[in-house]
Amino acid sequence: MAFYYDEPSHTFGEYLLIPGYSSEHCIPSNVSLKTPLTKFRKGEEEPAISLNIPMVSAVMQAVSDDKLAIALAQEGGLAFIYVSQPIEEQAKMVARVKNYKAGFVVSDSNLRPTDTLADVLALKKKLGHSTMAVTEDGSPNGKLLGLVTSRDYRVSRMDPSLKVSEFMTPFEKLICAHESTSLKEANDIIWDHKLNALPLIDDNQNLKYFVFRKDYDSHKANSLELLDSQKRYMVGAGVNTRDYEERIPALIEAGVDVLVIDSSEGYSEWQRRVLQFVRKNYGDTVKIGAGNVVDGDAFRFLAEAGADFIKIGVGGGSICITRETKGIGRGQATAVIEVAKERDKYFEETGIYIPLCSDGGIVHDYHMTLALAMGADFMMLGRYFARFDESPSNKVVINGQYMKEYWGEGSNRARNFQRYDTGENQTLTFEEGVDSYVPYAGALKDNVALTLKKISSTMCNVGSITIPELHENARLTLVSSVSIVEGGAHDVVLKNSTQVK
């Protein structure tokens, strides 16, 4: 007969941390959230790749493109560019992140000299930018002919059909710098000449970048940015179990730092074959994670197959309906606890530490701290990042509230049958994800900063200032449904609500 587990599986919302002793050194400003991304051997100083914050973004069309990858790397985390797109397009996204120069912005508001004031106003309404480059062909890297800013026109006194060439600031009157100019030199020019923006051009007068005055302080503030040995932002990418022999070389050529197999089920021959392909062709020089798993046996399978990190979670994502459609999965908290036990056992046996990524089941910020306390080294987040300006999905108004579109890779919209590869299906025969909306939350930087403050504060409450200390010191308790109610506001009339709890 079938095997039955004695205990039910639990979610993060069913646990609380027990406060522990906090010394005088256990304050949020002393907390380090640095954590390993890839495996390492006992005695090694550090792994090949570490994160400065325990966050990576999900391999999803609605979450992880190059724009979000840059924003997340600036905060110390790492994005995995989504795989459900042509190989060339994914490789281009990776290359854009690797080629991005911090502080040097490729122009996304561009005009031709033959465009009109009406075109200027339409572009400003669409993108919200007041500085627009006028190039010969209207491209981001065309020959620079001038600039248009809000000081160059007055809507009330000018005809909307007026050509840009008639009111732009021409190239001859611009202060520009060569593309070889360093960021420090560019900022000095901006301050010396009281500019808002400095165009950087090549020897042929082609526009390469802008450096903006407003970005100066934000660049100074990115103390945790995740950089490679050449001071470039780090980025990951997803691969599937179908076209990996072509996709992986293209991503490596584009400069990807780490790969992950994007699949709903990690305990499979198909994932082992991908890992074997990487090890056979690249040895340990290419780093690749695998998953997802929910128990110790599956963890050990992928560990022995050569995974650099392993993702935990089946059916716990907010847009995932795998448990409903297939009756398979496990409560995320129980899955993390059980896999972490096996990871620690494997470490004792082999001396190899394989980082764990908790993927799914995060509803509230404190769930992240619980995941870390239960043994995860970092979290993969989808819904969390989908809410921000930098995610690639559309911002829409639903019932008077700003929302962002968010859809699962198992939905028909994603058309990502490869993620649910059973070795024979060539199409998505039924959905395992939904198409939805999430409340718009603004800029990634502001939200991530707040979340990290919460995590750091909670870690201090349990007497830990590093994630390894949290693994050792955390004490957790299951809570009843009644105590969950007790944990929120109750038996009062809230000032912003007429509801009595």
Side-chain angles (χ1 to χ4, degrees):
M1 63 180 289
F3 175 82
Y4 291 87
Y5 286 91
D6 293 332
E7 294 292 328
S9 64
H10 297 283
T11 66
F12 293 132
E14 296 176 79
Y15 283 90
L16 287 175
L17 283 157
I18 301 299
Y21 169 70
S22 299
S23 70
E24 61 182 325
H25 301 293
C26 201
I27 56 176
S29 60
N30 286 338
V31 169
S32 169
L33 293 175
K34 188 171 183 177
T35 192
L37 176 67
T38 57
K39 67 184 177 185
F40 58 94
R41 290 188 177 275
K42 189 174 183 179
E44 292 181 350
E45 289 188 8
E46 59 182 31
I49 303 177
S50 294
L51 300 168
N52 291 329
I53 63 172
M55 292 181 174
V56 300
S57 66
V59 192
M60 299 176 68
Q61 298 170 20
V63 179
S64 297
D65 66 353
D66 49 304
K67 184 178 180 181
L68 186 126
I70 292 168
L72 184 52
Q74 288 174 337
E75 302 309 311
L78 183 134
F80 284 96
I81 303 295
Y82 67 91
V83 61
S84 49
Q85 60 178 317
I87 294 172
E88 311 79 52
E89 295 305 313
Q90 188 186 24
K92 286 178 182 178
M93 286 190 180
V94 169
R96 283 198 289 269
V97 179
K98 300 308 294 183
N99 293 332
Y100 183 86
K101 297 169 68 177
F104 294 80
V105 180
V106 176
S107 178
D108 64 356
S109 297
N110 306 291
L111 299 161
R112 293 182 177 85
T114 54
D115 288 336
T116 65
L117 176 59
D119 295 320
V120 170
L121 299 177
L123 191 58
K124 183 177 182 180
K125 182 178 180 181
K126 179 181 178 181
L127 299 176
H129 299 159
S130 58
T131 299
M132 304 176 191
V134 183
T135 60
E136 199 168 57
D137 59 0
S139 71
N141 299 123
K143 184 175 182 180
L144 183 63
L145 302 181
L147 289 184
V148 171
T149 72
S150 56
R151 293 175 296 182
D152 292 313
Y153 59 87
R154 292 185 67 178
V155 178
S156 60
R157 296 191 177 185
M158 294 168 61
D159 190 319
S161 63
L162 191 66
K163 294 285 191 292
V164 164
S165 58
E166 297 183 46
F167 62 88
M168 69 181 186
T169 301
F171 178 80
E172 295 75 21
K173 293 185 179 181
L174 297 177
I175 295 174
C176 299
H178 192 265
E179 63 175 324
S180 62
T181 304
S182 70
L183 183 60
K184 182 181 184 306
E185 292 168 337
N187 280 314
D188 287 342
I189 294 171
I190 286 173
W191 288 99
D192 290 345
H193 294 275
K194 299 180 181 180
L195 305 174
N196 289 323
L198 175 69
L200 272 66
I201 58 176
D202 65 12
D203 294 332
N204 297 315
Q205 199 178 313
N206 294 315
L207 177 65
K208 304 304 290 185
Y209 306 103
F210 276 113
V211 176
F212 291 97
R213 172 191 287 262
K214 64 181 176 61
D215 289 339
Y216 178 80
D217 291 334
S218 65
H219 299 317
K220 286 287 186 181
N222 294 330
S223 60
L224 293 175
E225 57 188 1
L226 193 65
L227 304 172
D228 65 15
S229 59
Q230 300 177 51
K231 304 298 183 184
R232 301 175 302 177
Y233 287 132
M234 299 189 75
V235 62
V239 298
N240 59 49
T241 57
R242 289 278 180 171
D243 62 11
Y244 59 91
E245 293 182 348
E246 295 80 35
R247 191 175 292 270
I248 289 175
L251 293 172
I252 293 171
E253 185 178 353
V256 74
D257 295 286
V258 59
L259 304 169
V260 67
I261 305 172
D262 180 43
S263 174
S264 64
E265 172 54 56
Y267 200 0
S268 76
E269 176 62 22
W270 319 117
Q271 292 222 3
R272 175 157 54 188
R273 291 181 183 180
V274 177
L275 294 170
Q276 288 175 338
F277 170 83
V278 170
R279 296 299 169 237
K280 178 182 177 181
N281 290 278
Y282 304 100
D284 288 329
T285 61
V286 170
K287 305 302 179 183
I288 181 169
N292 287 17
V293 303
V294 295
D295 69 336
D297 291 342
F299 165 85
R300 191 167 285 265
F301 171 82
L302 291 176
E304 293 173 350
D308 284 293
F309 66 87
I310 293 174
K311 293 200 294 149
I312 306 168
V314 173
S318 60
I319 42 68
C320 183
I321 54 173
T322 294
R323 297 180 194 175
E324 291 182 22
T325 58
K326 297 171 68 173
I328 190 170
R330 201 175 197 185
Q332 188 67 8
T334 299
V336 172
I337 292 168
E338 291 297 316
V339 174
K341 286 180 182 178
E342 191 66 24
R343 185 269 312 279
D344 294 344
K345 182 180 177 182
Y346 185 84
F347 180 51
E348 291 177 6
E349 294 173 4
T350 66
I352 300 173
Y353 185 90
I354 300 182
L356 298 179
C357 171
S358 178
D359 178 16
I362 301 291
V363 179
H364 304 292
D365 286 354
Y366 83 89
H367 289 171
M368 299 186 200
T369 317
L370 287 172
L372 296 172
M374 291 170 181
D377 297 279
F378 56 97
M379 291 78 59
M380 177 170 277
L381 305 164
R383 182 194 62 85
Y384 179 85
F385 287 118
R387 303 172 302 146
F388 302 150
D389 287 322
E390 295 83 357
S391 75
S393 65
N394 294 322
K395 183 169 70 173
V396 296
V397 177
I398 305 294
N399 295 327
Q401 181 180 1
Y402 279 114
M403 310 287 282
K404 291 275 282 186
E405 292 182 316
Y406 181 47
W407 60 95
E409 289 300 301
S411 67
N412 277 325
R413 178 173 182 174
R415 300 188 180 280
N416 186 12
F417 81 91
Q418 296 94 336
R419 190 174 195 275
Y420 301 87
D421 191 2
T422 61
E424 56 185 11
N425 290 338
Q426 297 291 327
T427 59
L428 191 67
T429 53
F430 57 88
E431 289 186 294
E432 293 188 43
V434 299
D435 197 345
S436 64
Y437 301 102
V438 289
Y440 167 67
L444 178 147
K445 183 180 183 66
D446 297 336
N447 286 274
V448 167
L450 179 59
T451 296
L452 296 179
K453 286 179 181 178
K454 293 178 183 178
I455 293 173
S456 298
S457 179
T458 304
M459 286 174 61
C460 289
N461 291 147
V462 298
S464 305
I465 59 172
T466 67
I467 291 174
E469 285 184 12
L470 183 63
H471 289 167
E472 293 292 326
N473 299 340
R475 295 178 298 159
L476 296 117
T477 180
L478 275 168
V479 295
S480 69
S481 58
V482 176
S483 62
I484 292 174
V485 174
E486 180 187 56
H490 59 90
D491 300 307
V492 295
V493 177
L494 299 180
K495 287 186 176 181
N496 61 351
S497 173
T498 58
Q499 183 180 1
V500 179
K501 292 190 176 182

PDB file of all heavy atoms in Angstrom, residues 137-154:
ATOM      1  N   ASP A 137      18.258  59.102 -36.845  1.00  0.00           N
ATOM      2  CA  ASP A 137      17.275  58.076 -37.217  1.00  0.00           C
ATOM      3  C   ASP A 137      16.282  57.764 -36.107  1.00  0.00           C
ATOM      4  O   ASP A 137      15.477  56.842 -36.215  1.00  0.00           O
ATOM      5  CB  ASP A 137      17.999  56.787 -37.642  1.00  0.00           C
ATOM      6  CG  ASP A 137      18.888  56.227 -36.532  1.00  0.00           C
ATOM      7  OD1 ASP A 137      18.943  56.849 -35.441  1.00  0.00           O
ATOM      8  OD2 ASP A 137      19.528  55.178 -36.753  1.00  0.00           O
ATOM      9  N   GLY A 138      16.325  58.529 -35.018  1.00  0.00           N
ATOM     10  CA  GLY A 138      15.394  58.302 -33.920  1.00  0.00           C
ATOM     11  C   GLY A 138      15.712  57.097 -33.058  1.00  0.00           C
ATOM     12  O   GLY A 138      14.895  56.686 -32.239  1.00  0.00           O
ATOM     13  N   SER A 139      16.918  56.538 -33.215  1.00  0.00           N
ATOM     14  CA  SER A 139      17.300  55.358 -32.441  1.00  0.00           C
ATOM     15  C   SER A 139      18.101  55.777 -31.211  1.00  0.00           C
ATOM     16  O   SER A 139      18.628  56.892 -31.136  1.00  0.00           O
ATOM     17  CB  SER A 139      18.138  54.411 -33.301  1.00  0.00           C
ATOM     18  OG  SER A 139      19.422  54.967 -33.538  1.00  0.00           O
ATOM     19  N   PRO A 140      18.246  54.878 -30.226  1.00  0.00           N
ATOM     20  CA  PRO A 140      18.998  55.213 -29.003  1.00  0.00           C
ATOM     21  C   PRO A 140      20.465  55.482 -29.260  1.00  0.00           C
ATOM     22  O   PRO A 140      21.110  56.169 -28.471  1.00  0.00           O
ATOM     23  CB  PRO A 140      18.813  53.971 -28.122  1.00  0.00           C
ATOM     24  CG  PRO A 140      17.615  53.268 -28.662  1.00  0.00           C
ATOM     25  CD  PRO A 140      17.608  53.553 -30.127  1.00  0.00           C
ATOM     26  N   ASN A 141      21.025  54.937 -30.350  1.00  0.00           N
ATOM     27  CA  ASN A 141      22.451  55.090 -30.621  1.00  0.00           C
ATOM     28  C   ASN A 141      22.732  55.750 -31.969  1.00  0.00           C
ATOM     29  O   ASN A 141      23.815  55.602 -32.532  1.00  0.00           O
ATOM     30  CB  ASN A 141      23.149  53.723 -30.573  1.00  0.00           C
ATOM     31  CG  ASN A 141      23.029  53.054 -29.226  1.00  0.00           C
ATOM     32  OD1 ASN A 141      22.541  51.935 -29.125  1.00  0.00           O
ATOM     33  ND2 ASN A 141      23.460  53.728 -28.174  1.00  0.00           N
ATOM     34  N   GLY A 142      21.763  56.514 -32.448  1.00  0.00           N
ATOM     35  CA  GLY A 142      21.963  57.241 -33.697  1.00  0.00           C
ATOM     36  C   GLY A 142      22.816  58.484 -33.503  1.00  0.00           C
ATOM     37  O   GLY A 142      23.201  58.837 -32.379  1.00  0.00           O
ATOM     38  N   LYS A 143      23.114  59.174 -34.608  1.00  0.00           N
ATOM     39  CA  LYS A 143      23.916  60.402 -34.545  1.00  0.00           C
ATOM     40  C   LYS A 143      23.138  61.471 -33.784  1.00  0.00           C
ATOM     41  O   LYS A 143      22.005  61.812 -34.136  1.00  0.00           O
ATOM     42  CB  LYS A 143      24.251  60.884 -35.953  1.00  0.00           C
ATOM     43  CG  LYS A 143      25.172  62.098 -35.973  1.00  0.00           C
ATOM     44  CD  LYS A 143      25.576  62.470 -37.401  1.00  0.00           C
ATOM     45  CE  LYS A 143      26.543  63.651 -37.397  1.00  0.00           C
ATOM     46  NZ  LYS A 143      26.945  64.027 -38.775  1.00  0.00           N
ATOM     47  N   LEU A 144      23.751  62.006 -32.737  1.00  0.00           N
ATOM     48  CA  LEU A 144      23.075  62.973 -31.875  1.00  0.00           C
ATOM     49  C   LEU A 144      23.018  64.336 -32.553  1.00  0.00           C
ATOM     50  O   LEU A 144      24.051  64.918 -32.917  1.00  0.00           O
ATOM     51  CB  LEU A 144      23.803  63.085 -30.531  1.00  0.00           C
ATOM     52  CG  LEU A 144      23.176  64.012 -29.496  1.00  0.00           C
ATOM     53  CD1 LEU A 144      21.780  63.514 -29.093  1.00  0.00           C
ATOM     54  CD2 LEU A 144      24.069  64.129 -28.257  1.00  0.00           C
ATOM     55  N   LEU A 145      21.791  64.862 -32.725  1.00  0.00           N
ATOM     56  CA  LEU A 145      21.586  66.161 -33.371  1.00  0.00           C
ATOM     57  C   LEU A 145      21.149  67.238 -32.392  1.00  0.00           C
ATOM     58  O   LEU A 145      21.268  68.430 -32.680  1.00  0.00           O
ATOM     59  CB  LEU A 145      20.543  66.027 -34.477  1.00  0.00           C
ATOM     60  CG  LEU A 145      20.848  65.020 -35.590  1.00  0.00           C
ATOM     61  CD1 LEU A 145      19.725  65.029 -36.612  1.00  0.00           C
ATOM     62  CD2 LEU A 145      22.197  65.319 -36.243  1.00  0.00           C
ATOM     63  N   GLY A 146      20.619  66.805 -31.228  1.00  0.00           N
ATOM     64  CA  GLY A 146      20.161  67.789 -30.255  1.00  0.00           C
ATOM     65  C   GLY A 146      19.428  67.130 -29.112  1.00  0.00           C
ATOM     66  O   GLY A 146      19.293  65.901 -29.040  1.00  0.00           O
ATOM     67  N   LEU A 147      18.933  67.962 -28.198  1.00  0.00           N
ATOM     68  CA  LEU A 147      18.134  67.491 -27.069  1.00  0.00           C
ATOM     69  C   LEU A 147      16.862  68.316 -26.981  1.00  0.00           C
ATOM     70  O   LEU A 147      16.840  69.497 -27.349  1.00  0.00           O
ATOM     71  CB  LEU A 147      18.889  67.635 -25.746  1.00  0.00           C
ATOM     72  CG  LEU A 147      20.068  66.727 -25.442  1.00  0.00           C
ATOM     73  CD1 LEU A 147      20.571  66.999 -24.026  1.00  0.00           C
ATOM     74  CD2 LEU A 147      19.694  65.267 -25.602  1.00  0.00           C
ATOM     75  N   VAL A 148      15.819  67.691 -26.469  1.00  0.00           N
ATOM     76  CA  VAL A 148      14.590  68.400 -26.132  1.00  0.00           C
ATOM     77  C   VAL A 148      14.323  68.177 -24.654  1.00  0.00           C
ATOM     78  O   VAL A 148      14.273  67.036 -24.185  1.00  0.00           O
ATOM     79  CB  VAL A 148      13.391  67.898 -26.965  1.00  0.00           C
ATOM     80  CG1 VAL A 148      12.093  68.513 -26.433  1.00  0.00           C
ATOM     81  CG2 VAL A 148      13.574  68.247 -28.431  1.00  0.00           C
ATOM     82  N   THR A 149      14.185  69.266 -23.910  1.00  0.00           N
ATOM     83  CA  THR A 149      13.780  69.194 -22.508  1.00  0.00           C
ATOM     84  C   THR A 149      12.572  70.094 -22.320  1.00  0.00           C
ATOM     85  O   THR A 149      12.161  70.809 -23.241  1.00  0.00           O
ATOM     86  CB  THR A 149      14.914  69.639 -21.562  1.00  0.00           C
ATOM     87  OG1 THR A 149      15.082  71.056 -21.669  1.00  0.00           O
ATOM     88  CG2 THR A 149      16.223  68.938 -21.894  1.00  0.00           C
ATOM     89  N   SER A 150      11.999  70.089 -21.147  1.00  0.00           N
ATOM     90  CA  SER A 150      10.807  70.893 -20.876  1.00  0.00           C
ATOM     91  C   SER A 150      11.084  72.388 -20.992  1.00  0.00           C
ATOM     92  O   SER A 150      10.146  73.186 -21.109  1.00  0.00           O
ATOM     93  CB  SER A 150      10.264  70.571 -19.485  1.00  0.00           C
ATOM     94  OG  SER A 150      11.264  70.765 -18.508  1.00  0.00           O
ATOM     95  N   ARG A 151      12.359  72.773 -20.989  1.00  0.00           N
ATOM     96  CA  ARG A 151      12.692  74.194 -21.135  1.00  0.00           C
ATOM     97  C   ARG A 151      12.690  74.650 -22.582  1.00  0.00           C
ATOM     98  O   ARG A 151      12.822  75.847 -22.867  1.00  0.00           O
ATOM     99  CB  ARG A 151      14.090  74.454 -20.534  1.00  0.00           C
ATOM    100  CG  ARG A 151      14.161  74.273 -19.031  1.00  0.00           C
ATOM    101  CD  ARG A 151      15.569  74.432 -18.527  1.00  0.00           C
ATOM    102  NE  ARG A 151      16.466  73.395 -19.038  1.00  0.00           N
ATOM    103  CZ  ARG A 151      17.744  73.290 -18.715  1.00  0.00           C
ATOM    104  NH1 ARG A 151      18.287  74.168 -17.893  1.00  0.00           N
ATOM    105  NH2 ARG A 151      18.495  72.328 -19.221  1.00  0.00           N
ATOM    106  N   ASP A 152      12.554  73.708 -23.516  1.00  0.00           N
ATOM    107  CA  ASP A 152      12.639  74.041 -24.942  1.00  0.00           C
ATOM    108  C   ASP A 152      11.295  74.365 -25.580  1.00  0.00           C
ATOM    109  O   ASP A 152      11.251  74.760 -26.752  1.00  0.00           O
ATOM    110  CB  ASP A 152      13.296  72.893 -25.715  1.00  0.00           C
ATOM    111  CG  ASP A 152      14.766  72.727 -25.375  1.00  0.00           C
ATOM    112  OD1 ASP A 152      15.476  73.754 -25.361  1.00  0.00           O
ATOM    113  OD2 ASP A 152      15.191  71.592 -25.104  1.00  0.00           O
ATOM    114  N   TYR A 153      10.200  74.189 -24.848  1.00  0.00           N
ATOM    115  CA  TYR A 153       8.901  74.439 -25.468  1.00  0.00           C
ATOM    116  C   TYR A 153       7.879  74.899 -24.430  1.00  0.00           C
ATOM    117  O   TYR A 153       8.020  74.628 -23.233  1.00  0.00           O
ATOM    118  CB  TYR A 153       8.396  73.173 -26.181  1.00  0.00           C
ATOM    119  CG  TYR A 153       8.235  71.962 -25.278  1.00  0.00           C
ATOM    120  CD1 TYR A 153       7.061  71.744 -24.565  1.00  0.00           C
ATOM    121  CD2 TYR A 153       9.263  71.040 -25.149  1.00  0.00           C
ATOM    122  CE1 TYR A 153       6.919  70.642 -23.743  1.00  0.00           C
ATOM    123  CE2 TYR A 153       9.139  69.935 -24.332  1.00  0.00           C
ATOM    124  CZ  TYR A 153       7.964  69.733 -23.624  1.00  0.00           C
ATOM    125  OH  TYR A 153       7.824  68.647 -22.790  1.00  0.00           O
ATOM    126  N   ARG A 154       6.878  75.607 -24.930  1.00  0.00           N
ATOM    127  CA  ARG A 154       5.715  76.011 -24.120  1.00  0.00           C
ATOM    128  C   ARG A 154       4.475  75.601 -24.896  1.00  0.00           C
ATOM    129  O   ARG A 154       4.197  76.128 -25.976  1.00  0.00           O
ATOM    130  CB  ARG A 154       5.725  77.512 -23.849  1.00  0.00           C
ATOM    131  CG  ARG A 154       6.855  77.941 -22.929  1.00  0.00           C
ATOM    132  CD  ARG A 154       6.761  79.424 -22.593  1.00  0.00           C
ATOM    133  NE  ARG A 154       5.586  79.713 -21.773  1.00  0.00           N
ATOM    134  CZ  ARG A 154       5.295  80.934 -21.315  1.00  0.00           C
ATOM    135  NH1 ARG A 154       6.086  81.948 -21.608  1.00  0.00           N
ATOM    136  NH2 ARG A 154       4.219  81.122 -20.581  1.00  0.00           N
TER     137      ARG A 154
END
